[in-house]
C-alpha cells in the first residue's frame, strides 16, 4: 500500500506540473499523460494500462507503479469505482480530486520515521532541506519496514510465545548452544556533532509499535547496567552470557545513543558481550560521533577490541550522516545561564536562590548504583549546587551523575576552568557530566573561566597538534605550547561538549525543560490526589 501511495503521489505531481485536468464527457480524443522532458508516458512496468470507457470518448492513462504493487489492488480498484460511479451520475470528475482521496486513504496505512519526519516538517516543527538527514531517514525507514515484515521471525512481539531455542532460560541456552542470528541487520549511524543523530534515532524509536521488545538507552547508562549485572552474577563461569540472556529477554531491538569507548574495561567487555547478544537475535541501532574503525582509537589493548569492530560491521549497516550543519548552534544560545568571568559567582547564587524559591538549600545525600552515595553540598526544590572540584576533580563517573539527576532536575556548577594537560582527568569527567545532563534534559547553570570554545582550546587530537606546531630538527620541546593536552578521545569529544553546552543554554532547550518539569509535577500532583 505504501508503494501505491508513492506512485500516486508521483502521478499527482506530474498532473499538477502539466496543469492537466482530465474530465469525463470530453468530446476530444483519448489522451496520455506525457513527461515533456522525457516524452515518455506513465505506464505500469508490465505494460498494463488502466482504461476507462465512455460512449463518445476514451480516457486512457497509465500509472508508474511497480508490478509488485499490483497484488494490492485496493487503491486501484477504488479509482476505477469512483470513475465508474461518477460516469453513471453524469458528473464531471477532477483527476486530482480522486488522487487526493486515494492518497489520503493509503497514507493512513503508512508509518515509520520518514513519514513522521515529513509530518513534522509540514507542521513547522523541523527544519526542511537537509538531504543528509533525509538520506538517513530512508535507511531508518528501510529498517522499519524490514522489521515490520519480520516481526514473527525476529520474535519482536512481546506478547507472542517464544519459539527460539535458548529463550526458556540461561541453563537451557547453555545446553542447546544454538545461535539464532537475526535475519535483519541493524544500523550504525555516525556523523559530526549536532547533525541530529539522536533526534533521528528517537524519531525511529517512537514510531515502533508499543508491543515490540525494544529498548532505547544512552550508551553510558547501558554500560552501567552491564557492570551492575556482572556484579550480581559474579562467580558464574561466563557472567557475560547470563547478562546477554537477560538483555535479550527484555529487548530484541536495542537502540544505543552516543556509542563511545574510552575505558579499557568497557573495550574488553564489548567484544564478548555483543558476540553473545548477536547470537541471541539482538538487532542493534546505534548513533556515534565516530566511524566503527575509529572506535577506541589509540586505546590500551585495542587489538582485543578489533574483533568487536568486525562483528559490528557484519551485523549492522554502517551509515554516515554527512551534514556539516550543527543544529544546536542554530538555537537562541544567548538565553541561558552560562556566566563567564571571576565576578560571575554572585549571579549564579542569585539565580540559584530564585529557582529554589522559599525552600532552604541544605546538604543532601544521593544514592547511586551498586550502593554508592553522592554527597550534595546544597540542594533544594529539585536544584543542586556544586563547586566544580566536587563533581569533576573527585573519582566520580557516569553512575554518580545519573544518580544525581534522578533526584535533581537543575544543576548549578561553579568554577569550570580552562582545560589542559594538568587537569585532563577533570576534563574527561566534565565531558561525561555534560553528556548525562543533556541525556536527562536537565537544566545547567554554571560559571566558567571562558566560553565553551575557550574551555577546550588546549585539548587537541594528534593530527591537530601536528598542524598547530609541527616539530622539526630546529624546534625543541622547550618551544612546545604550554599545557597542551594531546588526546584523541578527548580532542574528538570536545566538539560534542561545546555543541551541547550551546544547546543547553538555548531558549528552545530551556522551554523544553520547563514543559517537561511542568508535566512531571502535574503527574506527581495527580498521583498524590489519588492516595
Amino acid at each position: 500500500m505504501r508503494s501505491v501511495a508513492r506512485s500516486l503521489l508521483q502521478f499527482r505531481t506530474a498532473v499538477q506540473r502539466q496543469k492537466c485536468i482530465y474530465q469525463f464527457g470530453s468530446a476530444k480524443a483519448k489522451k496520455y499523460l506525457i513527461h515533456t522532458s522525457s516524452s515518455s508516458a506513465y505506464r505500469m512496468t508490465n505494460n498494463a494500462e488502466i482504461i476507462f470507457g465512455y460512449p463518445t470518448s476514451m480516457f486512457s492513462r497509465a500509472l508508474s507503479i511497480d508490478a509488485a504493487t499490483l497484488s494490492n489492488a485496493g487503491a486501484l480498484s477504488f479509482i476505477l469505482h469512483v470513475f465508474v460511479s461518477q460516469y453513471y451520475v453524469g458528473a464531471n470528475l477532477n483527476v486530482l480530486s480522486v488522487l487526493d482521496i486515494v492518497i489520503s486513504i493509503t497514507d493512513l496505512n503508512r508509518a515509520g520515521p520518514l513519514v513522521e519526519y515529513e509530518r513534522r516538517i509540514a507542521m513547522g516543527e523541523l527544519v526542511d532541506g537537509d538531504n543528509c538527514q533525509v538520506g538517513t531517514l530512508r535507511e531508518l525507514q528501510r529498517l522499519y519496514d524490514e522489521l515490520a515484515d519480520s516481526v514473527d521471525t525476529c520474535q519482536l512481539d512481546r506478547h507472542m510465545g517464544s519459539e527460539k531455542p535458548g529463550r526458556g532460560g540461561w541453563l537451557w541456552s547453555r545446553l542447546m548452544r544454538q545461535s539464532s542470528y537475526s535475519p535483519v541487520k541493524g544500523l550504525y549511524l555516525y556523523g559530526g556533532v549536532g547533525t541530529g543523530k539522536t533526534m533521528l534515532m528517537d524519531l525511529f524509536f517512537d514510531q515502533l509499535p508499543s508491543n515490540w521488545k525494544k529498548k532505547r538507552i544512552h550508551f553510558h547508562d547501558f554500560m552501567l547496567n552491564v557492570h551492575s549485572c556482572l556484579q550480581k552474577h559474579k562467580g558464574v563461569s561466563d557472567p557475560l552470557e547470563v547478562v546477554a540472556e537477560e538483555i535479550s529477554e527484555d529487548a530484541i531491538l536495542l537502540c544505543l545513543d552516543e556509542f563511545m569507548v574510552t575505558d579499557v574495561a568497557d573495550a574488553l567487555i564489548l567484544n564478548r558481550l555483543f558476540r553473545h547478544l548477536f547470537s541471541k537475535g539482538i538487532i542493534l541501532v546505534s548513533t556515534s560521533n565516530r566511524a566503527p574503525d575509529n572506535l577506541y582509537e589509540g586505546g590500551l589493548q585495542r587489538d582485543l577490541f578489533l574483533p568487536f569492530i568486525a562483528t559490528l560491521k557484519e551485523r549492522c549497516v554502517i551509515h554516515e550522516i554527512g551534514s556539516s550543519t550543527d543544529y544546536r548552534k542554530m538555537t537562541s544560545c544567548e538565553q541561558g545561564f552560562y556566566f563567564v568571568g571571576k565576578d560571575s559567582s554572585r549571579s549564579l547564587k542569585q539565580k540559584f536562590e530564585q529557582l529554589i524559591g522559599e525552600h532552604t538549600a541544605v546538604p543532601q545525600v544521593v544514592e547511586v548504583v551498586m550502593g554508592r552515595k553522592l554527597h550534595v553540598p546544597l540542594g533544594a526544590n529539585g536544584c543542586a549546587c556544586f563547586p566544580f572540584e566536587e563533581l569533576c576533580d573527585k573519582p566520580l563517573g557516569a553512575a554518580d551523575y545519573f544518580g544525581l539527576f534522578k533526584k535533581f532536575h537543575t544543576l548549578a556548577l561553579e568554577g569550570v576552568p580552562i582545560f589542559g594537560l594538568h587537569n585532563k582527568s577533570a576534563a574527561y569527567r566534565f565531558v561525561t557530566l555534560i553528556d548525562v545532563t543533556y541525556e536527562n534534559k536537565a537544566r545547567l547553570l554554571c560559571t566558567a573561566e571562558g566560553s565553551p570554545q575557550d574551555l577546550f582550546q588546549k585539548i587537541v587530537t594528534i593530527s591537530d597538534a601536528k598542524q598547530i606546531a609541527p616539530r622539526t630538527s630546529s624546534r625543541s620541546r622547550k618551544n612546545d605550547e604550554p599545557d597542551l593536552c594531546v588526546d584523541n578521545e578527548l580532542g574528538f569529544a570536545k566538539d560534542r561538549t561545546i555543541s551541547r553546552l550551546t544547546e543547553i543554554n538555548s531558549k528552545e532547550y530551556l522551554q523544553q525543560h520547563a514543559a517537561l518539569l511542568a508535566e512531571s509535577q502535574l503527574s506527581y500532583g495527580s498521583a498524590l490526589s489519588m492516595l
Side-chain angles (χ1 to χ4, degrees):
M1 185 64 78
R2 284 191 293 267
S3 54
V4 171
R6 284 195 297 269
S7 298
L8 292 173
L9 281 168
Q10 293 169 359
F11 177 70
R12 189 191 192 286
T13 302
V15 173
Q16 287 177 317
R17 288 176 180 172
Q18 295 296 321
K19 298 182 180 179
C20 295
I21 299 178
Y22 293 90
Q23 294 182 335
F24 277 91
S26 171
K28 296 181 180 180
K30 67 177 182 178
K31 298 184 179 181
Y32 293 86
L33 179 64
I34 305 293
H35 266 309
T36 55
S37 59
S38 62
S39 299
S40 60
Y42 276 89
R43 293 183 179 276
M44 293 183 180
T45 54
N46 64 348
N47 296 321
E49 291 184 349
I50 302 174
I51 301 175
F52 301 93
Y54 189 69
T56 59
S57 66
M58 182 70 70
F59 178 88
S60 177
R61 64 183 174 83
L63 296 175
S64 173
I65 302 176
D66 294 337
T69 67
L70 294 176
S71 58
N72 190 344
L76 302 181
S77 298
F78 178 79
I79 295 174
L80 179 59
H81 171 75
V82 173
F83 269 104
V84 172
S85 63
Q86 290 291 304
Y87 160 67
Y88 277 114
V89 299
N92 289 335
L93 183 65
N94 187 316
V95 175
L96 294 179
S97 299
V98 177
L99 289 175
D100 281 337
I101 296 171
V102 178
I103 290 168
S104 64
I105 291 175
T106 55
D107 275 350
L108 293 175
N109 292 323
R110 296 179 71 210
L114 185 57
V115 178
E116 177 63 14
Y117 181 82
E118 292 169 349
R119 185 197 68 79
R120 293 188 187 183
I121 287 177
M123 296 295 291
E125 299 174 10
L126 292 176
V127 178
D128 192 8
D130 192 330
N131 291 329
C132 295
Q133 283 194 352
V134 173
T136 303
L137 277 162
R138 290 196 185 102
E139 286 294 323
L140 288 165
Q141 184 70 44
R142 176 194 55 76
L143 176 59
Y144 178 94
D145 292 338
E146 287 185 15
L147 292 171
D149 293 337
S150 307
V151 173
D152 294 341
T153 307
C154 296
Q155 302 255 326
L156 280 167
D157 194 333
R158 189 175 297 277
H159 305 300
M160 288 181 60
S162 175
E163 298 177 0
K164 283 187 178 183
R167 293 272 182 221
W170 173 73
L171 178 60
W172 180 252
S173 67
R174 286 184 65 85
L175 292 173
M176 295 301 295
R177 291 291 186 184
Q178 294 185 23
S179 63
S180 51
Y181 288 96
S182 170
V184 177
K185 285 190 175 184
L187 187 60
Y188 182 94
L189 304 174
Y190 74 97
V193 298
T195 52
K197 297 184 296 296
T198 297
M199 181 274 292
L200 294 174
M201 188 178 75
D202 285 345
L203 191 138
F204 164 79
F205 187 81
D206 291 342
Q207 296 302 302
L208 300 174
S210 58
N211 60 309
W212 283 11
K213 297 175 70 175
K214 59 180 182 175
K215 188 178 186 66
R216 188 272 189 206
I217 189 171
H218 191 275
F219 182 74
H220 274 317
D221 209 3
F222 173 75
M223 290 308 301
L224 288 174
N225 291 342
V226 169
H227 284 290
S228 180
C229 290
L230 286 175
Q231 286 291 325
K232 183 174 66 175
H233 298 297
K234 197 173 183 179
V236 177
S237 60
D238 189 354
L240 279 173
E241 185 176 4
V242 185
V243 173
E245 182 67 29
E246 291 178 347
I247 293 172
S248 63
E249 286 290 342
D250 181 53
I252 292 297
L253 183 62
L254 181 62
C255 296
L256 295 181
D257 190 29
E258 296 292 355
F259 202 107
M260 66 188 82
V261 187
T262 58
D263 183 78
V264 63
D266 289 347
L268 296 177
I269 286 174
L270 284 170
N271 182 36
R272 291 172 53 212
L273 174 64
F274 273 90
R275 189 174 70 238
H276 288 310
L277 286 174
F278 287 135
S279 71
K280 296 178 186 298
I282 285 287
I283 304 164
L284 175 66
V285 179
S286 181
T287 68
S288 180
N289 287 342
R290 314 204 71 170
D293 290 331
N294 295 332
L295 288 172
Y296 196 52
E297 191 174 24
L300 294 174
Q301 295 181 292
R302 189 171 186 262
D303 56 320
L304 299 178
F305 179 75
L306 293 178
F308 167 73
I309 295 177
T311 303
L312 183 66
K313 293 164 72 173
E314 178 186 349
R315 297 306 312 162
C316 293
V317 174
I318 311 300
H319 179 80
E320 180 182 8
I321 306 178
S323 177
S324 59
T325 303
D326 187 343
Y327 286 94
R328 298 189 187 115
K329 294 182 179 179
M330 295 171 63
T331 55
S332 307
C333 56
E334 73 279 359
Q335 299 293 324
F337 307 112
Y338 188 102
F339 306 104
V340 178
K342 296 181 179 179
D343 300 328
S344 58
S345 178
R346 180 179 299 178
S347 300
L348 180 72
K349 291 178 180 177
Q350 287 176 347
K351 191 62 184 178
F352 182 76
E353 293 291 335
Q354 179 184 338
L355 291 175
I356 65 174
E358 299 178 354
H359 299 265
T360 302
V362 294
Q364 298 185 28
V365 175
V366 174
E367 292 186 3
V368 295
V369 296
M370 292 181 280
R372 295 181 58 179
K373 294 183 179 181
L374 177 64
H375 293 274
V376 181
L378 290 174
N381 196 28
C383 303
C385 186
F386 281 84
F388 175 84
E389 295 79 9
E390 289 292 316
L391 273 186
C392 298
D393 270 347
K394 292 186 175 180
L396 302 177
D400 304 285
Y401 304 146
F402 272 108
L404 176 67
F405 288 116
K406 285 180 179 178
K407 186 170 184 179
F408 298 97
H409 56 71
T410 298
L411 170 65
L413 189 64
E414 188 172 4
V416 182
I418 300 293
F419 297 112
L421 185 61
H422 73 286
N423 59 359
K424 182 173 74 170
S425 296
Y428 263 109
R429 295 190 189 100
F430 182 70
V431 166
T432 302
L433 175 62
I434 298 304
D435 282 342
V436 176
T437 302
Y438 186 83
E439 174 68 14
N440 284 273
K441 306 300 179 187
R443 180 167 48 192
L444 175 70
L445 292 72
C446 70
T447 62
E449 293 182 4
S451 68
Q453 291 80 6
D454 293 338
L455 297 182
F456 291 94
Q457 61 184 348
K458 295 183 179 180
I459 306 292
V460 296
T461 62
I462 295 174
S463 60
D464 290 338
K466 291 178 180 178
Q467 293 177 4
I468 292 172
R471 180 165 290 136
T472 64
S473 57
S474 61
R475 185 173 175 275
S476 67
R477 290 180 179 272
K478 294 181 180 180
N479 296 323
D480 284 348
E481 179 74 22
D483 204 33
L484 187 70
C485 177
V486 182
D487 187 293
N488 263 358
E489 288 298 329
L490 193 56
F492 200 87
K494 74 174 185 179
D495 290 335
R496 181 179 72 253
T497 304
I498 293 170
S499 177
R500 287 185 164 178
L501 277 173
T502 302
E503 185 180 358
I504 285 172
N505 286 281
S506 70
K507 177 182 178 180
E508 293 83 356
Y509 182 94
L510 293 171
Q511 286 176 341
Q512 182 187 26
H513 170 84
L516 292 172
L517 183 59
E519 183 181 345
S520 64
Q521 290 175 343
L522 181 62
S523 300
Y524 179 70
S526 300
L528 287 179
S529 65
M530 296 176 63
L531 296 178

